[in-house]
Amino acid sequence: MPDPTAGGATAGAVTTADATVGLAADYFRSYSVVGLLAVVGVLFVAVAFGAGRLLRPVVPTPEKLLTYECGVDPVGEGWAHTQVRYYVYAFLYVVFAVDSIFLFPWATVFADPGYGATTLVEMFVFLGFLAVGLLYAYKKGVLSWT
């Protein structure tokens, strides 16, 4: 029977390397579950689209190939001009949505000790990008109420 005080490894001792390997295995096991779920999801969608393609009837007629506009036969060309301001409205929405999403986590990290200066610089860089977006919208005249 080995002496536990003799400096040898005992049967119940866990080394740091064993603990690290076990921790890494748990870490990658959680990602393997996510990866397996993603593969199953992709396969589910692929099988559904493949089954739909195999089972649907394909009988093209001139009526089926006609552009459908809310039950009314189309008149004129299929091209329509859209004003750029609608795209700028969408751009402004994205700018402000990203701004609000970024501010809440930033405020919680800013309160942690040791992260104040770094997060403050990151926020000023982000606000710079936001200012460029607002300047673009102002130059396009989107911010004026007419």
Side-chain angles (χ1 to χ4, degrees):
M1 179 175 213
D3 183 19
T5 60
T10 62
V14 176
T15 63
T16 307
D18 291 339
T20 304
V21 169
L23 188 63
D26 288 340
Y27 177 77
F28 287 117
R29 188 175 303 121
S30 64
Y31 276 110
S32 65
V33 170
V34 171
L36 181 65
L37 185 63
V39 168
V40 168
V42 168
L43 284 175
F44 182 74
V45 170
V47 167
F49 275 112
R53 186 177 191 121
L54 290 174
L55 297 175
R56 72 176 181 223
V58 181
V59 185
T61 62
E63 288 83 18
K64 287 183 180 179
L65 298 176
L66 187 66
T67 304
Y68 181 75
E69 293 183 11
C70 301
V72 179
D73 289 335
V75 177
E77 289 187 28
W79 295 99
H81 294 285
T82 304
Q83 295 182 6
V84 73
R85 73 173 177 219
Y86 297 120
Y87 296 112
V88 178
Y89 290 145
F91 175 70
L92 282 175
Y93 171 76
V94 169
V95 166
F96 286 113
V98 170
D99 180 35
S100 64
I101 289 171
F102 188 65
L103 279 175
F104 291 113
W106 173 82
T108 59
V109 171
F110 184 70
D112 290 343
Y115 291 106
T118 304
T119 56
L120 188 63
V121 169
E122 288 175 354
M123 183 50 68
F124 278 117
V125 168
F126 178 73
L127 289 176
F129 283 120
L130 182 66
V132 168
L134 287 174
L135 182 65
Y136 174 78
Y138 178 75
K139 290 285 187 178
K140 289 290 184 180
V142 174
L143 299 178
S144 61
W145 292 94
T146 57

